[in-house]
Amino acid sequence: MSTTTITRTPGSGALSRLTAVEARLFLREPSGAFFAVLFPAVLLTVLGLVMPWADLPFNDQDPVLSQINGITGYAPTVLALAVATVGLSAYPQTIAGYRGRGVLKRMSTTPVPPSRILVAQLAVNLVALLVAAVLMFAAGALVVGVAAPAEPLVLLGAFLLSVLSAFAVGSVIAALAPNAPAATAWGMSVYFVSLFFAGVWLPLPLMPDVVQTIAGYTPLGAASEAMAAAWYGQPLDVAPFLVMAAWTLVALPVAARFFRWS
């Protein structure tokens, strides 16, 4: 990464140049690009083809959930999984890897603040996740009969806020981890706990009430709840949106406060 180029391009130009560099680096990592962009579509399609519950009612005891099939009921969870994979695992490892290799230390001699690096990473990964969401729905609808979201605009808002909250938590890990192995260990610990509360192992609507209550206060649990309600056509509840916003507003200043160049 050329620090000279960034120094010569002030303001928004520096951010756009940095974002372009991050995008090229993202595309040079085939495994990272696969898990960020293609894996959600592959996972949902495979589940729909091999799982016996995919064509059954998602929950025959619920008047709304009984109208959708099991694989549609699992679609918001796969979206939450995609967000967690990028925001809590790949992203912190990338930033910590830059720190371990001395990239951040070299950039500290330029006018680029740490916030520009985080924004560039967020922009690149947000685009990747939006593409992943479109591919996931297209593959799911064409191959395994995933129903269209009942409230697409609400779903989009919930999805964007889920990305922000996951990246806010990931930014705290990225700010503190001295190197990529440390970021991997810390990030994966948060990642697997988040997956449980996001309903990856068992969809949230099928979990005990006490677990659903706890999950609603976690960023990925709230994200899964909000996206599920929008996809299923359940009544809008602002609580998950407020939880995600709170995590974002708290975690980002913490990350900025403790961000280290080396």
Side-chain angles (χ1 to χ4, degrees):
M1 185 180 300
S2 173
T3 56
T4 302
T5 302
I6 296 172
T7 304
R8 291 177 179 173
T9 315
S12 60
L15 178 58
S16 62
R17 184 67 60 89
L18 184 58
T19 303
V21 171
E22 293 295 336
R24 288 196 295 270
L25 292 174
F26 174 84
L27 294 174
R28 288 177 185 174
E29 294 290 339
S31 61
F34 169 79
F35 280 101
V37 178
L38 298 178
F39 182 67
V42 173
L43 176 61
L44 191 67
T45 303
V46 170
L47 286 174
L49 292 174
V50 304
M51 291 301 178
W53 46 257
D55 294 326
L56 300 176
F58 186 49
N59 184 352
D60 55 12
Q61 304 299 316
D62 186 282
V64 175
L65 301 183
S66 62
Q67 302 302 309
I68 60 174
N69 57 19
I71 195 61
T72 299
Y74 208 71
T77 302
V78 174
L79 277 184
L81 170 64
V83 171
T85 300
V86 176
L88 300 177
S89 178
Y91 161 64
Q93 291 177 39
T94 298
I95 299 299
Y98 287 171
R99 181 178 293 112
R101 295 195 303 271
V103 174
L104 297 184
K105 186 175 182 178
R106 291 195 296 273
M107 291 187 66
S108 68
T109 62
T110 76
V112 180
S115 60
R116 297 287 176 88
I117 303 171
L118 304 184
V119 170
Q121 275 284 317
L122 175 61
V124 171
N125 285 288
L126 177 59
V127 171
L129 285 169
L130 285 171
V131 173
V134 172
L135 291 177
M136 186 203 78
F137 171 67
L142 292 174
V143 180
V144 294
V146 172
E151 301 287 348
L153 293 181
V154 177
L155 176 64
L156 177 61
F159 179 73
L160 294 176
L161 196 51
S162 72
V163 173
L164 288 176
S165 60
F167 269 77
V169 175
S171 294
V172 175
I173 300 171
L176 297 175
N179 49 46
T184 300
W186 301 354
M188 293 305 288
S189 298
V190 177
Y191 175 73
F192 283 112
V193 173
S194 297
L195 292 190
F196 172 76
F197 287 116
V200 171
W201 317 128
L202 181 67
L204 280 178
L206 306 183
M207 286 185 174
D209 290 342
V210 63
V211 178
Q212 292 188 45
T213 300
I214 296 171
Y217 290 100
T218 67
L220 264 296
S224 187
E225 284 186 12
M227 290 191 289
W231 204 305
Y232 308 156
Q234 294 175 315
L236 178 63
D237 184 359
V238 299
F241 293 87
L242 294 177
V243 169
M244 289 187 286
W247 277 96
T248 303
L249 294 175
V250 171
L252 283 180
V254 171
R257 169 65 179 81
F258 291 101
F259 187 91
R260 298 180 301 167
W261 289 104
S262 60

